[in-house]
Amino acid sequence: MKTTLIGAALLIATGFMPAASFAANAQELKIATEAGYPPFEYRNPNGQLEGFDIDIGNELCKRLQRQCVWIDQSFDSLIPGLKARKFDLANSTMTATEARKKVIDFSTPMYIVPVKLMVKKGSGLEPTAESLKGKRVGVQQGTTMETYARKYWAPKGVNVVSYPSYTNAYVDVTAGRLDATFQEAQSAVEGFLSKPEGADYELAQMTLDDPILNDPIAMGLRQGNPLKADVDKTLKAMLADGTIQGFAKKYFAEGLIQFPAQ
């Protein structure tokens, strides 16, 4: 007879089953992410997944007594994958926009990150259509930055270039094929500015204040998934007890991540 999830939890509590044995028997929780967006989600030199969202996801699985199964795939395939029931959650710095809420559900908000334009030092470029007219600006496919740039900049003469990941965009920056990139500030710092090739670049001074860009980051779920109630309850508890804030201190300078009021 198979050990039930509740029974396994009781055995752990009473010391009769090692945690490793429980993990093997626990129900899987499949979480999709795109591991090319440090420090939120990335692969370390050994090929293992790490990052802020990965820490949050692993803690969520632990508290739900589920076995985390991470699936690494492109950001723009996350929503189709959820709808096709390929995985349970999408946890990849996904902004909970009104447009996305029409096709998937979102967990309770986890955090908010400021969005910045990354430019060459001394260029004077700022995140406005007037400043960027005739310039080439890199964004990641399927992100709110792409949505904003195509809505407000492209019609006014800005060349918006979409990439499957910012890693590709940063390569084109150094090669002179882009004048700027538009992303969460911390991603630019970790993914490019902190590296030798980023020495001649900086974040523009201006920070945009627009609903498209300031929606919170949350986990995506298939519409109607009953898992949402448990995910929301657990994430709220992790915010209330400071767990998520503690994870943030591992990856971010003060002020680069904001948290919803508790």
Side-chain angles (χ1 to χ4, degrees):
M1 182 175 65
K2 293 182 178 179
T3 305
T4 65
L5 181 60
I6 295 175
L10 289 173
L11 286 171
I12 288 177
T14 54
F16 289 101
M17 180 181 288
S21 178
F22 169 68
N25 286 280
Q27 184 179 354
E28 290 183 347
L29 184 62
K30 295 181 180 179
I31 308 178
T33 193
E34 190 212 18
Y37 207 48
F40 297 96
E41 42 269 333
Y42 61 96
R43 290 192 180 275
N44 64 22
N46 295 323
Q48 297 168 325
L49 282 173
E50 290 187 357
F52 183 43
D53 284 332
I54 306 303
D55 286 354
I56 294 174
N58 285 334
E59 180 66 17
L60 174 71
C61 288
K62 178 181 176 182
R63 297 193 185 197
L64 291 177
Q65 298 185 347
R66 304 280 288 269
Q67 180 184 355
C68 264
V69 176
W70 288 95
I71 301 169
D72 186 0
Q73 61 182 61
S74 65
F75 187 87
D76 58 1
S77 69
L78 295 179
I79 290 178
L82 279 173
K83 295 175 69 176
R85 299 173 180 261
K86 293 182 178 179
F87 37 82
D88 304 299
L89 298 171
N91 184 23
S92 193
T93 326
M94 184 180 287
T95 309
T97 65
E98 291 303 317
R100 289 171 179 162
K101 288 177 181 177
K102 293 179 180 179
V103 292
I104 63 171
D105 287 340
F106 280 96
S107 70
T108 190
M110 298 188 294
Y111 57 90
I112 299 170
V113 292
V115 172
K116 286 276 193 177
L117 189 74
M118 189 188 76
V119 300
K120 194 161 188 177
K121 290 179 179 178
S123 69
L125 294 177
E126 293 290 348
T128 67
E130 294 74 22
S131 178
L132 296 171
K133 185 175 181 180
K135 305 296 184 181
R136 291 173 61 84
V137 180
V139 295
Q140 185 177 12
Q141 294 170 358
T143 63
T144 55
M145 284 70 72
E146 181 187 36
T147 299
Y148 182 94
R150 294 201 178 281
K151 180 176 181 179
Y152 294 111
W153 296 347
K156 296 182 179 180
V158 181
N159 296 310
V160 179
V161 185
S162 298
Y163 292 83
S165 77
Y166 280 109
T167 302
N168 306 101
Y170 297 146
V171 170
D172 278 2
V173 166
T174 56
R177 291 186 287 268
L178 288 178
D179 299 289
T181 57
F182 191 44
Q183 67 283 290
E184 278 98 352
Q186 184 63 29
S187 178
V189 171
E190 291 288 332
F192 187 72
L193 293 175
S194 62
K195 299 178 179 180
E197 55 266 35
D200 294 331
Y201 296 83
E202 63 184 357
L203 295 174
Q205 291 295 315
M206 181 178 176
T207 300
L208 293 170
D209 184 14
D210 187 276
I212 292 177
L213 303 173
N214 293 331
D215 284 326
I217 303 298
M219 293 187 186
L221 303 93
R222 187 180 69 258
Q223 286 184 335
N225 189 338
L227 179 65
K228 176 174 164 54
D230 286 339
V231 170
D232 285 351
K233 180 180 178 181
T234 305
L235 289 176
K236 287 178 181 178
M238 290 166 61
L239 283 165
D241 65 22
T243 298
I244 292 178
Q245 294 88 330
F247 290 150
K249 291 178 180 179
K250 293 170 52 179
Y251 301 101
F252 307 106
E254 188 174 353
L256 286 182
I257 290 288
Q258 301 171 344
F259 299 98
Q262 296 300 299

